Amino acid sequence: MRIEAKPLKGKEKQKLERTFGKTIQINRKVYRIVYCEALLGDSQSIAGLCDSQDTTLYVVDGSDIQETLLHEIIHAEIAESGIRQSPGWTRDIEEMVAENISQGISHSYRLKLK
Ligand SMILES: [Zn+2]
């Protein structure tokens, strides 16, 4: 996927980094979190993206950041855990899992930095 990210700067960026963090550890890797003004994946506007090759999570300010970040964290966990290599696992299944679990959790809990 071709990614075009317009990262946030200044106070807005700092505020989000204070609230949700700059990095997150996923299994043994450290993922960078990039808060964006805008994000295009293959020329389409998207709310978030997990780039597991580059260990980076992108989230767009203005979306429900907690839910979007959780959604991308789930993609990263799936990538790093090896679940993607399971027989029968598909991109569609992964999307359903990420969407349902991120919605379910973010409606019941508040993410807190460790
Ligand atoms: Zn997704």
mmCIF file of all heavy atoms in Angstrom, residues 64 66-67 102-109:
data_model
loop_
_atom_site.group_PDB
_atom_site.id
_atom_site.type_symbol
_atom_site.label_atom_id
_atom_site.label_comp_id
_atom_site.label_asym_id
_atom_site.label_seq_id
_atom_site.Cartn_x
_atom_site.Cartn_y
_atom_site.Cartn_z
ATOM 1 N N ASP A 64 -12.059 9.008 15.894
ATOM 2 C CA ASP A 64 -12.074 8.582 17.296
ATOM 3 C C ASP A 64 -10.706 7.944 17.534
ATOM 4 O O ASP A 64 -10.481 6.781 17.209
ATOM 5 C CB ASP A 64 -13.207 7.572 17.514
ATOM 6 C CG ASP A 64 -13.284 7.096 18.960
ATOM 7 O OD1 ASP A 64 -12.243 7.116 19.658
ATOM 8 O OD2 ASP A 64 -14.378 6.711 19.386
ATOM 9 N N GLN A 66 -8.896 6.987 20.105
ATOM 10 C CA GLN A 66 -8.735 5.795 20.937
ATOM 11 C C GLN A 66 -9.134 4.537 20.157
ATOM 12 O O GLN A 66 -8.412 3.546 20.139
ATOM 13 C CB GLN A 66 -9.570 5.908 22.206
ATOM 14 C CG GLN A 66 -9.592 4.582 22.966
ATOM 15 C CD GLN A 66 -10.177 4.665 24.338
ATOM 16 O OE1 GLN A 66 -9.549 5.188 25.251
ATOM 17 N NE2 GLN A 66 -11.378 4.163 24.484
ATOM 18 N N GLU A 67 -10.275 4.616 19.494
ATOM 19 C CA GLU A 67 -10.761 3.446 18.767
ATOM 20 C C GLU A 67 -9.856 3.127 17.560
ATOM 21 O O GLU A 67 -9.542 1.968 17.300
ATOM 22 C CB GLU A 67 -12.200 3.699 18.315
ATOM 23 C CG GLU A 67 -12.902 2.430 17.880
ATOM 24 C CD GLU A 67 -14.363 2.673 17.536
ATOM 25 O OE1 GLU A 67 -15.076 3.256 18.365
ATOM 26 O OE2 GLU A 67 -14.761 2.290 16.429
ATOM 27 N N SER A 102 -11.863 -3.586 18.560
ATOM 28 C CA SER A 102 -11.536 -2.192 18.904
ATOM 29 C C SER A 102 -12.797 -1.426 19.304
ATOM 30 O O SER A 102 -12.785 -0.658 20.268
ATOM 31 C CB SER A 102 -10.811 -1.480 17.759
ATOM 32 O OG SER A 102 -11.621 -1.392 16.608
ATOM 33 N N GLN A 103 -13.897 -1.661 18.617
ATOM 34 C CA GLN A 103 -15.148 -0.987 18.993
ATOM 35 C C GLN A 103 -15.623 -1.459 20.356
ATOM 36 O O GLN A 103 -15.965 -0.662 21.214
ATOM 37 C CB GLN A 103 -16.238 -1.260 17.951
ATOM 38 C CG GLN A 103 -16.123 -0.368 16.741
ATOM 39 C CD GLN A 103 -17.223 -0.651 15.719
ATOM 40 O OE1 GLN A 103 -18.235 -1.270 16.023
ATOM 41 N NE2 GLN A 103 -16.990 -0.204 14.503
ATOM 42 N N GLY A 104 -15.638 -2.762 20.521
ATOM 43 C CA GLY A 104 -16.121 -3.337 21.782
ATOM 44 C C GLY A 104 -15.331 -2.826 22.968
ATOM 45 O O GLY A 104 -15.905 -2.393 23.972
ATOM 46 N N ILE A 105 -14.012 -2.847 22.866
ATOM 47 C CA ILE A 105 -13.172 -2.425 23.989
ATOM 48 C C ILE A 105 -13.270 -0.917 24.196
ATOM 49 O O ILE A 105 -13.432 -0.457 25.326
ATOM 50 C CB ILE A 105 -11.703 -2.862 23.791
ATOM 51 C CG1 ILE A 105 -11.609 -4.382 23.887
ATOM 52 C CG2 ILE A 105 -10.788 -2.201 24.832
ATOM 53 C CD1 ILE A 105 -10.240 -4.954 23.605
ATOM 54 N N SER A 106 -13.200 -0.151 23.121
ATOM 55 C CA SER A 106 -13.153 1.304 23.346
ATOM 56 C C SER A 106 -14.489 1.850 23.826
ATOM 57 O O SER A 106 -14.538 2.925 24.420
ATOM 58 C CB SER A 106 -12.641 2.045 22.111
ATOM 59 O OG SER A 106 -13.615 2.060 21.121
ATOM 60 N N HIS A 107 -15.571 1.116 23.642
ATOM 61 C CA HIS A 107 -16.848 1.567 24.190
ATOM 62 C C HIS A 107 -16.985 1.246 25.679
ATOM 63 O O HIS A 107 -17.820 1.809 26.368
ATOM 64 C CB HIS A 107 -18.025 0.977 23.406
ATOM 65 C CG HIS A 107 -18.116 1.537 22.021
ATOM 66 N ND1 HIS A 107 -18.988 1.073 21.078
ATOM 67 C CD2 HIS A 107 -17.429 2.533 21.404
ATOM 68 C CE1 HIS A 107 -18.837 1.756 19.946
ATOM 69 N NE2 HIS A 107 -17.887 2.637 20.128
ATOM 70 N N SER A 108 -16.131 0.356 26.173
ATOM 71 C CA SER A 108 -16.244 -0.049 27.573
ATOM 72 C C SER A 108 -15.077 0.372 28.447
ATOM 73 O O SER A 108 -15.190 0.382 29.658
ATOM 74 C CB SER A 108 -16.363 -1.577 27.668
ATOM 75 O OG SER A 108 -17.366 -2.041 26.813
ATOM 76 N N TYR A 109 -13.943 0.681 27.827
ATOM 77 C CA TYR A 109 -12.741 1.016 28.606
ATOM 78 C C TYR A 109 -12.096 2.278 28.057
ATOM 79 O O TYR A 109 -12.286 2.633 26.916
ATOM 80 C CB TYR A 109 -11.696 -0.111 28.514
ATOM 81 C CG TYR A 109 -12.199 -1.444 28.962
ATOM 82 C CD1 TYR A 109 -12.743 -2.347 28.044
ATOM 83 C CD2 TYR A 109 -12.126 -1.823 30.293
ATOM 84 C CE1 TYR A 109 -13.216 -3.587 28.459
ATOM 85 C CE2 TYR A 109 -12.592 -3.056 30.703
ATOM 86 C CZ TYR A 109 -13.128 -3.934 29.787
ATOM 87 O OH TYR A 109 -13.585 -5.149 30.188
#
